[in-house]
Amino acid sequence: MKTVLLTGFEPFNGAAINPAWEAVRALEGWSGEDFRVEVRQLPCVFVDANRALADMVDALHPDVVIAVGQAGGRAEISVERVAINVDDASILDNAGRQPVDQAIAEEGPAAYFTNLPIKAMVAAMREAGLRAGVSQTAGTFVCNHVFYGLMRHVAASGRNVKAGFIHVPYLPEQAEARDDAPPSMALEAIVSSIRIAVETAVRVERDVAQAGGATH
Amino acid sequence: MKTVLLTGFEPFNGAAINPAWEAVRALEGWSGEDFRVEVRQLPCVFVDANRALADMVDALHPDVVIAVGQAGGRAEISVERVAINVDDASILDNAGRQPVDQAIAEEGPAAYFTNLPIKAMVAAMREAGLRAGVSQTAGTFVCNHVFYGLMRHVAASGRNVKAGFIHVPYLPEQAEARDDAPPSMALEAIVSSIRIAVETAVRVERDVAQAGGATH
Amino acid sequence: MKTVLLTGFEPFNGAAINPAWEAVRALEGWSGEDFRVEVRQLPCVFVDANRALADMVDALHPDVVIAVGQAGGRAEISVERVAINVDDASILDNAGRQPVDQAIAEEGPAAYFTNLPIKAMVAAMREAGLRAGVSQTAGTFVCNHVFYGLMRHVAASGRNVKAGFIHVPYLPEQAEARDDAPPSMALEAIVSSIRIAVETAVRVERDVAQAGGATH
Amino acid sequence: MKTVLLTGFEPFNGAAINPAWEAVRALEGWSGEDFRVEVRQLPCVFVDANRALADMVDALHPDVVIAVGQAGGRAEISVERVAINVDDASILDNAGRQPVDQAIAEEGPAAYFTNLPIKAMVAAMREAGLRAGVSQTAGTFVCNHVFYGLMRHVAASGRNVKAGFIHVPYLPEQAEARDDAPPSMALEAIVSSIRIAVETAVRVERDVAQAGGATH
């Protein structure tokens, strides 16, 4: 029986909800034939979020970790490819911090690639009629910070853990309240995408080779 | 007297022109008080482009190298922050190659950060009324490939070379010929941006600390 | 037994296919309990397209007419609300014409609203998990030209005909061949949307009142 | 001496500022050789805004009226071509009203085209290095409502008044506070655009014929 840790962020930047947490919490108690899911919330705070996630990983010994965050303005589920070693915040985090061009880990590598089967995950989501794609950047805010910290913690642990990050669009109710009409996705579709992500991550040992890049 | 090497790609994906090359060639023979510019074209071909650029660097011993490429669909001058160690082509290069999820350098680091003063460059462009921003991804096609190869070659050389990559929008004539109405920028504005990039790169030793990140 | 006329444009602007025609032709011979569908292709040519469509309407006496066109760059099925009385072409039509700021009908009204139940159509598409929305502009190219001509012809006929226009995204194969990575939609999803549009148009006499506007 | 009436909306949807009003107020007291400018604020309220604007027009007898509104998410100055006869609010106005699919004027035409020289205005803005374009839709919220009401009032007056509507992007401080990173424009650039719009509207009697349409 494998253990899957799913995390979602608390709301940030003054918002009342975070679709990442809404989707993740909907999967509390979910289990499959050969896996069970543990659900946790992360604070949207630099450093603190990484400490919290490291503690969760150390306590639960998960086989798969998928952190989920909101990407307001994106139209599809974004399965992230790479985390980079820099914090550069355009807005404040929930503790009022706004680091600019600071390394996440002074001695760390410039980046970590996820070891999730991201092409297979995207393919499975698309087969289910969901809008999804590989993303080449998780930004430079708390999401990338957590993604980098997660990959670094897993690498340091020496354990065989698949880990990565997924960005999700606004919910329709968030989009409708804004005057610039950003794209959105229904909560059920986001939840379905996370389910497929988990099932694919548990099942697929070796990712498929199919194009998922960007020209720029 | 410093030497600045500027490169622009040949047209690709069946296009007749490439705004990167049009802008770079317009600066042929340009020099400042303390620098002169060398202008070269690169083939839009994986591996070959990197060999060509490495040869140019070895021959010219430049103090600054800025490679310029087209980012069709982007609205502003994008000063790239980071190159990642992967080729994942969604279209064919000019030699008909389409690598998928292959490392650029098997033993290379996951990524290289540019050492250009990208925040100062963006700030100077904006002061001049030009639309510009820091970009967190150069994609996974030949542009990122060249950017990664450039940073790796420079790092291996042990010389003090500032190097990086700038993506530019379509020209108006390219945008007008398309039915999906992508954003564009006049050639003069692109050329002005590259000029400012060069002058800033020559002049600024230590980049300014101002936010230029993305939440996702 | 009601008759539904579905039209799709031929490819234009040098393209090899048009998703509108691909979707419409897939419904050839389709019929429901109380309707049958007639499928026709329209030339992407100002004036000629309107003459062809008027002839089709006069010959078939349809109860519902839905013209379908490609909207490259849009991410969702766009059910158009209004056609305006102007041609202003940013690209050439298939006969090499490029009218600028010319009235479609010198004595015609400034605009026609569709009389299709567009809110019910969008709601039904969304319930089926398809990305759809009401659009407030069909542009000023051949699509708007045909939409305006259709509404004018139907109004002049004095018959009770529901008529309107739907814009559809690129197909994935179109998007993948472009270097600016526009959004796209699978052909099956586009076909499903057109099916739902037809069924809703045949069934719903009075449109539902639910917000579908834009702040700008 | 001609009189130009410039209006800008108060902030709406919970925002603290509105770039339209900030730009318009900056031009208070401005005059040229052959014109002087009157500046007024409009409430972001259906019906009330139109009554207020009609009163201003009746009191000032302007030769040119340009109403300015915010278009959050747009990247350029949008000179609007057409106002349509429908209110369809996706958010509440400042009086808590949210009309859905209601005619602005029961007996009014489906649409009014602006009689401003919009192509000349856009050309002049672009020559000045400003990002601008013709827009084919002013939406279905209070902006379109005011634009439609303005054109209807002017048409009913029988006087020779040039009138129209301009949408402007977010200010940088608005964009920076949001987590979906919408485009923005500096206040000085927006003010410059409005200046050029006024000067062109006062000077140009017959608009230039140059393409400014959209394929969809």
Side-chain angles (χ1 to χ4, degrees):
Chain A
M1 179 66 68
K2 290 182 175 173
T3 298
V4 177
L5 170 60
L6 280 180
T7 69
F9 284 102
E10 64 184 356
F12 64 103
N13 201 31
I17 58 170
N18 187 321
W21 173 239
E22 297 305 315
V24 163
R25 78 192 297 187
L27 293 172
E28 187 150 27
W30 175 45
S31 61
E33 274 192 25
D34 51 353
F35 67 88
R36 65 190 181 80
V37 166
E38 295 284 340
V39 160
R40 297 289 186 278
Q41 193 184 61
L42 291 179
C44 188
V45 177
F46 285 102
V47 182
D48 296 11
N50 285 12
R51 281 194 197 128
L53 180 52
D55 288 348
M56 291 168 193
V57 170
D58 292 346
L60 293 167
H61 296 296
D63 302 278
V64 174
V65 185
I66 302 178
V68 186
Q70 168 185 300
R74 290 196 191 171
E76 62 184 20
I77 301 290
S78 297
V79 184
E80 298 293 348
R81 186 196 291 266
V82 64
I84 60 175
N85 188 10
V86 69
D87 291 335
D88 191 5
S90 55
I91 56 175
L92 302 179
D93 75 4
N94 282 357
R97 296 172 194 158
Q98 190 176 14
V100 170
D101 289 349
Q102 296 179 5
I104 298 171
E106 279 298 338
E107 306 296 314
Y112 285 103
F113 287 102
T114 183
N115 60 358
L116 290 174
I118 58 176
K119 299 293 180 75
M121 288 160 71
V122 166
M125 292 177 195
R126 289 181 177 173
E127 268 166 46
L130 299 159
R131 286 178 64 87
V134 169
S135 163
Q136 326 300 333
T137 175
T140 57
F141 191 54
V142 184
C143 289
N144 174 74
H145 180 90
V146 157
F147 181 15
Y148 185 93
L150 169 61
M151 299 314 298
R152 184 160 175 77
H153 188 71
V154 161
S157 76
R159 293 184 59 244
N160 177 24
V161 184
K162 288 180 190 164
F165 198 95
I166 292 178
H167 264 122
V168 303
Y170 284 137
L171 295 173
E173 57 261 42
Q174 293 177 286
E176 280 158 21
R178 304 175 77 106
D179 58 273
D180 58 344
S184 65
M185 189 177 281
L187 182 58
E188 304 77 50
I190 298 178
V191 173
S192 295
S193 302
I194 307 296
R195 273 183 191 273
I196 291 171
V198 168
E199 289 166 343
T200 307
V202 167
R203 180 176 47 80
V204 174
E205 277 307 311
R206 189 184 165 78
D207 201 4
V208 295
Q210 62 183 49
T215 53
H216 55 77
Chain B
M1 179 65 68
K2 288 183 176 173
T3 298
V4 177
L5 170 60
L6 280 180
T7 68
F9 284 103
E10 65 185 354
F12 65 103
N13 202 31
I17 57 171
N18 187 320
W21 173 240
E22 297 305 315
V24 164
R25 76 192 299 186
L27 294 171
E28 186 150 27
W30 175 46
S31 61
E33 275 191 26
D34 52 351
F35 67 88
R36 64 187 181 81
V37 166
E38 295 283 341
V39 160
R40 296 290 186 279
Q41 192 184 62
L42 291 179
C44 189
V45 177
F46 285 103
V47 181
D48 296 11
N50 285 13
R51 281 192 197 132
L53 181 51
D55 287 348
M56 292 169 192
V57 169
D58 292 346
L60 294 166
H61 295 295
D63 302 279
V64 174
V65 186
I66 302 179
V68 186
Q70 167 184 300
R74 291 197 190 169
E76 63 183 21
I77 301 290
S78 296
V79 185
E80 297 294 346
R81 186 197 291 267
V82 64
I84 60 175
N85 189 9
V86 70
D87 291 334
D88 191 5
S90 55
I91 56 175
L92 302 180
D93 74 6
N94 281 357
R97 296 173 193 155
Q98 189 174 15
V100 171
D101 290 349
Q102 297 179 5
I104 298 170
E106 280 298 339
E107 305 297 314
Y112 285 102
F113 287 103
T114 183
N115 59 357
L116 290 174
I118 57 176
K119 298 295 179 73
M121 289 160 70
V122 166
M125 292 177 196
R126 288 182 178 171
E127 269 167 44
L130 300 159
R131 289 178 62 87
V134 169
S135 163
Q136 326 302 332
T137 174
T140 57
F141 192 54
V142 182
C143 289
N144 174 74
H145 181 88
V146 158
F147 182 14
Y148 185 93
L150 170 61
M151 299 313 298
R152 184 160 176 76
H153 189 69
V154 161
S157 76
R159 294 183 59 243
N160 177 25
V161 184
K162 290 182 190 162
F165 199 96
I166 293 179
H167 264 120
V168 303
Y170 284 137
L171 296 172
E173 56 262 41
Q174 293 177 287
E176 281 158 20
R178 305 174 76 107
D179 57 274
D180 57 344
S184 65
M185 187 176 283
L187 181 59
E188 303 76 54
I190 299 178
V191 172
S192 296
S193 303
I194 307 296
R195 271 183 193 275
I196 291 171
V198 168
E199 290 166 343
T200 308
V202 167
R203 180 177 46 82
V204 175
E205 276 308 310
R206 189 184 163 80
D207 201 5
V208 296
Q210 63 184 49
T215 52
H216 55 77
Chain C
M1 178 65 67
K2 289 182 176 173
T3 298
V4 177
L5 171 59
L6 280 181
T7 68
F9 284 102
E10 64 185 356
F12 65 103
N13 202 31
I17 58 170
N18 187 320
W21 174 239
E22 297 306 314
V24 163
R25 79 192 297 190
L27 294 172
E28 187 151 26
W30 176 44
S31 61
E33 274 191 23
D34 51 352
F35 67 89
R36 65 191 180 80
V37 166
E38 294 283 342
V39 161
R40 297 289 186 279
Q41 193 184 61
L42 290 179
C44 188
V45 177
F46 286 102
V47 183
D48 297 10
N50 285 13
R51 281 193 197 130
L53 181 52
D55 287 348
M56 292 169 192
V57 170
D58 292 347
L60 294 168
H61 296 295
D63 302 279
V64 174
V65 185
I66 302 178
V68 186
Q70 167 185 302
R74 291 197 190 168
E76 63 183 19
I77 300 289
S78 297
V79 185
E80 297 293 346
R81 186 196 291 266
V82 64
I84 60 174
N85 189 10
V86 69
D87 291 335
D88 191 5
S90 55
I91 55 173
L92 303 179
D93 75 4
N94 281 357
R97 296 172 194 157
Q98 189 175 15
V100 171
D101 289 350
Q102 298 180 5
I104 298 171
E106 279 298 339
E107 306 296 314
Y112 285 103
F113 287 103
T114 184
N115 60 358
L116 291 174
I118 58 176
K119 298 295 180 74
M121 288 159 71
V122 167
M125 291 176 196
R126 288 181 178 173
E127 269 167 46
L130 299 159
R131 288 178 63 86
V134 169
S135 164
Q136 325 301 332
T137 174
T140 58
F141 192 53
V142 183
C143 288
N144 173 75
H145 181 89
V146 157
F147 181 14
Y148 185 93
L150 169 62
M151 299 313 298
R152 185 160 176 76
H153 188 71
V154 160
S157 76
R159 294 182 60 240
N160 177 23
V161 184
K162 289 181 190 161
F165 198 97
I166 292 178
H167 264 123
V168 302
Y170 284 136
L171 296 173
E173 56 261 42
Q174 292 177 286
E176 281 159 20
R178 303 174 78 106
D179 58 273
D180 58 344
S184 65
M185 187 177 283
L187 181 59
E188 304 76 55
I190 299 177
V191 172
S192 296
S193 302
I194 307 295
R195 273 182 191 275
I196 290 171
V198 168
E199 289 165 344
T200 308
V202 166
R203 179 176 47 80
V204 175
E205 276 309 310
R206 189 184 164 78
D207 201 4
V208 296
Q210 63 183 47
T215 53
H216 55 77
Chain D
M1 179 65 69
K2 290 183 176 174
T3 299
V4 177
L5 170 58
L6 281 181
T7 69
F9 285 103
E10 65 185 357
F12 65 103
N13 201 32
I17 58 170
N18 187 321
W21 174 239
E22 297 306 315
V24 163
R25 77 192 299 188
L27 294 172
E28 187 150 26
W30 175 46
S31 62
E33 275 191 24
D34 52 352
F35 67 88
R36 64 189 182 81
V37 166
E38 294 283 343
V39 160
R40 298 287 186 280
Q41 193 184 62
L42 290 179
C44 189
V45 177
F46 285 103
V47 182
D48 296 10
N50 285 12
R51 280 193 198 129
L53 180 53
D55 287 349
M56 292 168 193
V57 169
D58 292 347
L60 293 167
H61 296 295
D63 302 279
V64 173
V65 186
I66 302 179
V68 186
Q70 166 185 299
R74 289 196 191 170
E76 63 183 20
I77 301 289
S78 297
V79 185
E80 297 292 347
R81 185 196 291 267
V82 63
I84 60 174
N85 189 8
V86 69
D87 290 335
D88 191 6
S90 56
I91 57 175
L92 302 179
D93 75 6
N94 281 357
R97 296 172 195 158
Q98 190 176 14
V100 171
D101 289 349
Q102 297 178 5
I104 298 170
E106 279 297 339
E107 307 296 315
Y112 285 103
F113 287 102
T114 184
N115 59 359
L116 291 174
I118 57 176
K119 299 295 179 75
M121 289 159 70
V122 167
M125 291 176 196
R126 288 181 178 173
E127 269 167 45
L130 299 159
R131 287 178 63 88
V134 169
S135 163
Q136 326 301 332
T137 175
T140 57
F141 192 54
V142 184
C143 288
N144 174 74
H145 181 89
V146 157
F147 182 14
Y148 185 93
L150 169 61
M151 299 314 298
R152 185 162 175 75
H153 188 70
V154 161
S157 77
R159 293 184 58 247
N160 178 23
V161 184
K162 288 181 191 163
F165 197 96
I166 293 178
H167 264 122
V168 303
Y170 284 136
L171 295 173
E173 56 261 42
Q174 293 178 286
E176 280 158 20
R178 305 175 75 106
D179 58 274
D180 57 345
S184 65
M185 189 177 282
L187 182 58
E188 305 76 52
I190 298 178
V191 173
S192 296
S193 303
I194 307 295
R195 272 183 192 273
I196 290 172
V198 168
E199 290 167 342
T200 308
V202 167
R203 179 176 47 80
V204 175
E205 276 308 310
R206 187 184 165 79
D207 201 4
V208 296
Q210 63 182 49
T215 53
H216 55 77

